[in-house]
Structure formats: C-alpha cells, structure tokens
C-alpha cells in the first residue's frame, strides 16, 4: 500500500468522521431546538394565563373602585341629613337636612325632609311635600299627619237636651 493511498484513506475516514459528527450535532441541535420551542410555547401559554388574570383583576379593581366612590358619595350625602320623627300620629321617620352651620358643602339649600324608606331602600332622594297638616312622599306615596287636626266644632241646636 502506498503512502498516498493511505493518506487518502485516512483523509476520507476523517472526512466521513466530520460528516458523522456534523450530522450528530445537527440532530442534537434539532432536538434541542424542538425542546426549546416546546418550552417557549409553554411559557407563552403561562404568560397568557397570567396576563388574563391581571386583566381580570384590573377589571375587578375598577369595579370595586367605582363601588367605593358610590358608597363614599352615598355616605357623604347621607351625612348631610339626620333622622327625625315626623308626624303626630304613629311612628314615621324622615331625613331632615342638617342646619347650614353643620353642612360642609351646599349649605344654601332650603330646609326640607326626604323620605326615609325611599332613601334607605331605593337609594333615591324624594323630598316630602307638606300640605296643611299632612306630609306626602311623591315617590312611594307614604302619607303622614304631621300636626293634629283642629277639633271640629259641632253646632248645637237650641232647646236640645244634652246627651247623657
């Protein structure tokens, strides 16, 4: 065997070894690339779930913030009034506007009463209308006599015996 043939054989074997190593490396790289792709996909799914949870929580925070504002406004409005017994007959309560000195804002409103059931249950301010001796809610039609009615004088006929 001649040296050049031996060198060519070794060279061919080395070239074949390089090709086998390159093929092995390409297969390993492909396997690693597949695993990396799977992990990236799983990470994206988890990120989507986290973002969905964050968006849901942000929505809840907005709803709760709005509810807190509503409750603060309601409490502020309710603190402008005090519960007072209204009426001479029975137990009817209404919210009376506090005196101007006790009010922080809108102190120029005229004195008035609002219907307690409408304000507490329906969250609606309904100003009570006072007409003579009666007071009426225009919203729920509650009525109460606020002053005792004057006694009615019954005329007597002359020469009539008094009842016993």
């Amino acid at each position: 065997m001649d040296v050049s043939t031996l060198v060519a054989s070794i060279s061919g074997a080395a070239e074949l070894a390089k090709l086998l190593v390159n093929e092995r490396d390409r297969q390993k790289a492909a396997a690693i690339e597949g695993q990396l792709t799977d992990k990236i996909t799983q990470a994206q799914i988890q990120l989507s779930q986290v973002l969905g949870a964050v968006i849901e929580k942000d929505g809840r925070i907005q709803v709760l913030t709005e509810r807190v504002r509503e409750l603060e406004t309601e409490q502020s409005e309710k603190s402008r009034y005090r519960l007072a017994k209204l009426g001479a007959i029975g137990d009817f309560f209404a919210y009376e506007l506090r005196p101007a000195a006790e009010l922080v804002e809108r102190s120029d409103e005229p004195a008035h009463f609002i219907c307690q059931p409408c304000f507490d249950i329906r969250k609606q301010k309904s100003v009570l209308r006072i007409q003579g001796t009666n007071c009426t809610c225009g919203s729920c039609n509650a009525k109460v006599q606020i002053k005792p009615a004057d006694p009615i004088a019954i005329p007597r006929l002359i020469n009539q015996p008094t009842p016993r």
Side-chain angles (χ1 to χ4, degrees):
M1 192 181 254
D2 143 0
V3 173
S4 62
T5 307
L6 185 58
V7 170
S9 291
I10 292 175
S11 213
E15 192 63 36
L16 186 57
K18 281 184 188 178
L19 289 173
L20 287 172
V21 168
N22 284 344
E23 180 61 23
R24 182 198 62 179
D25 290 347
R26 188 188 63 74
Q27 287 177 355
K28 279 186 176 181
I32 291 171
E33 185 179 327
Q35 291 173 351
L36 185 60
T37 301
D38 288 345
K39 289 189 186 234
I40 289 173
T41 303
Q42 289 174 357
Q44 286 176 332
I45 290 170
Q46 289 175 349
L47 180 62
S48 295
Q49 291 171 345
V50 168
L51 288 175
V54 167
I55 289 169
E56 182 182 328
K57 297 226 185 276
D58 281 350
R60 287 193 59 148
I61 287 171
Q62 280 184 318
V63 167
L64 292 173
T65 301
E66 184 60 33
R67 181 68 178 135
V68 166
R69 274 193 212 112
E70 288 172 7
L71 290 172
E72 286 173 344
T73 301
E74 187 178 303
Q75 185 61 34
S76 172
E77 190 62 26
K78 198 168 190 172
S79 70
R80 301 181 73 240
Y81 294 88
R82 63 179 168 214
L83 196 60
K85 185 175 187 294
L86 192 62
I89 301 172
D91 288 333
F92 185 80
F93 292 89
Y95 284 109
E96 175 184 23
L97 183 66
R98 291 183 182 275
E102 294 180 25
L103 296 175
V104 177
E105 58 184 26
R106 298 188 335 236
S107 59
D108 58 343
E109 279 188 64
H112 61 276
F113 291 92
I114 58 173
C115 181
Q116 182 261 330
C118 288
F119 194 56
D120 287 344
I121 297 168
R122 289 191 234 147
K123 308 298 181 208
Q124 166 186 345
K125 279 177 51 176
S126 180
V127 176
L128 297 174
R129 291 182 307 225
I130 298 174
Q131 300 164 331
T133 61
N134 295 319
C135 182
T136 308
C137 174
S139 187
C140 70
N141 293 322
K143 294 179 183 172
V144 64
Q145 184 176 356
I146 55 174
K147 297 179 205 164
D150 293 331
I152 299 172
I154 301 173
R156 285 186 144 180
L157 297 175
I158 305 175
N159 297 337
Q160 212 178 30
T162 55
R164 293 184 189 185

